[in-house]
Amino acid sequence: MSATHVTQSSVYNLINTFLNQELDLGNYSSLFLTAVPPKPGKKTVRVKKEVKISKKENVVKETKPVYKPKYVPDLDKFIIPPGNKKAQLDALKKLIGSCDMCPELANYRKNIVFGAGNPDADVLFIGEAPGRDEDVQGVPFVGRSGRLLTDIIEKGMNIKREDVYIANILKCRPPNNRDPLSQEEVNCTPFLNKQLEIIKPKVIITLGRYAAQYILNTTVAIGKLRGDFHDYKGIPVMPTYHPAYLIRNYNKDNRLKVWNDVKKVVELLEKIG
Ligand code: URA
């Protein structure tokens, strides 16, 4: 702003208004104004605007309440107990209890979907996260995707659904089935790792992008990963499309791809016995 000749009082009024506004807004704790005093005998003053401002400390206050989880399961202290795999999985489930590490999920869920199936399964499927039906029933893959998965297992692989084990990357339903957040994945996957350590399946089949990328620690697209065996701690992994993707893109080409993926698993199981 260029210096202008104005009356002293109008400048003071103007600046005072501005200063008061700033103080009202809480932007500053104190504001000082100095001006060149009028020369004797002159009607106007040349105002030198020297506003010294001292920033108020801690003006920006945290308005969001800090969420304090009530129960964070301590997996570091969890030692897989002796006994059969069912007892071991039960102990892990008990540890998860009513985990609320992910506040949004803990508030939104009806049930934690731990996983289901045969603890001695040769084949372990990993999906993304529970949907609405799974959240209500506390069981993975029981909705529309689940019915297609059951067909893939029973008709495609000729295995009974209750003979495989099914788990997910997240154990709680994300609001409106949104994608899992990376922090949620970080919080939840240690439990999946323990499930894998207990069950020790002969083969893992990952369903969709999230499960494949987590298990294989990669960002490669599911379209490139599927169809070939990969490795998770010595266990062969076959990534394939998620049943929900198949429902959305239900064509012969995709169905054939999934069919071929699971056929390779069946062949491998026959080979390794
Ligand atoms: N989709 C998933 O990825 N998991 C479920 O359990 C259900 C739907």
Side-chain angles (χ1 to χ4, degrees):
M1 200 168 95
S2 61
T4 8
H5 289 275
V6 284
T7 63
Q8 189 178 14
S9 68
S10 66
V11 169
Y12 267 93
N13 286 344
L14 194 70
I15 295 176
N16 263 338
T17 311
F18 162 76
L19 297 183
N20 287 334
Q21 271 173 11
E22 287 298 294
L23 288 171
D24 286 347
L25 288 170
N27 290 340
Y28 303 99
S29 58
S30 52
L31 295 159
F32 308 95
L33 173 72
T34 55
V36 178
K39 284 195 177 138
K42 289 229 170 162
K43 281 199 182 137
T44 57
V45 289
R46 190 179 175 82
V47 174
K48 195 171 157 199
K49 202 169 145 197
E50 274 180 18
V51 179
K52 288 185 192 161
I53 44 185
S54 72
K55 266 257 185 218
K56 195 173 180 178
E57 279 167 26
N58 302 325
V59 166
V60 182
K61 291 213 177 85
E62 182 61 72
T63 47
K64 273 191 189 168
V66 179
Y67 181 83
K68 287 206 188 80
K70 286 178 217 75
Y71 174 62
V72 175
D74 189 354
L75 243 193
D76 288 343
K77 293 213 179 107
F78 179 76
I79 296 159
I80 296 175
N84 60 33
K85 292 181 184 181
K86 184 182 176 314
Q88 293 171 339
L89 288 173
D90 285 347
L92 180 65
K93 192 172 175 180
K94 205 168 155 202
L95 174 82
I96 294 179
S98 55
C99 166
D100 65 350
M101 263 190 288
C102 311
E104 201 186 1
L105 304 191
N107 275 335
Y108 183 75
R109 72 169 180 236
K110 291 191 170 62
N111 284 294
I112 291 178
V113 181
F114 177 75
N118 185 349
D120 294 302
D122 288 343
V123 186
L124 189 145
F125 287 83
I126 305 173
E128 183 178 310
R132 193 193 49 203
D133 297 307
E134 291 77 19
D135 181 45
V136 170
Q137 296 185 43
V139 181
F141 281 99
V142 287
R144 203 163 161 222
S145 296
R147 285 193 289 281
L148 180 53
L149 179 62
T150 305
D151 279 351
I152 292 169
I153 297 166
E154 302 208 327
K155 295 183 186 155
M157 302 177 75
N158 203 20
I159 303 175
K160 284 195 191 126
R161 179 177 157 133
E162 59 262 33
D163 288 342
V164 304
Y165 196 89
I166 305 174
N168 277 306
I169 293 290
L170 296 191
K171 307 217 175 299
C172 297
R173 181 192 180 197
N176 304 314
N177 300 341
R178 66 153 167 75
D179 289 345
L181 305 178
S182 38
Q183 185 59 52
E184 292 164 353
E185 202 176 296
V186 167
N187 290 346
C188 207
T189 44
F191 301 112
L192 174 65
N193 300 346
K194 278 284 172 213
Q195 285 172 303
L196 291 168
E197 202 180 320
I198 292 169
I199 297 168
K200 295 187 189 71
K202 287 182 180 161
V203 187
I204 295 169
I205 300 180
T206 58
L207 303 166
R209 169 167 76 99
Y210 274 91
Q213 292 186 342
Y214 169 70
I215 286 294
L216 303 178
N217 191 21
T218 180
T219 53
V220 175
I222 178 67
K224 292 218 171 89
L225 294 170
R226 60 144 292 278
D228 292 316
F229 280 109
H230 302 258
D231 176 81
Y232 172 84
K233 299 183 179 176
I235 302 171
V237 178
M238 173 57 75
T240 195
Y241 287 135
H242 194 287
Y245 171 83
L246 212 52
I247 290 169
R248 287 196 305 274
N249 303 278
Y250 204 70
N251 58 50
K252 205 173 158 197
D253 185 40
N254 285 337
R255 288 204 308 266
L256 201 64
K257 282 177 181 164
V258 173
W259 168 251
N260 283 331
D261 296 346
V262 297
K263 215 170 81 184
K264 284 182 188 169
V265 172
V266 173
E267 283 162 9
L268 180 75
L269 287 169
E270 280 167 4
K271 208 159 93 188
I272 59 181

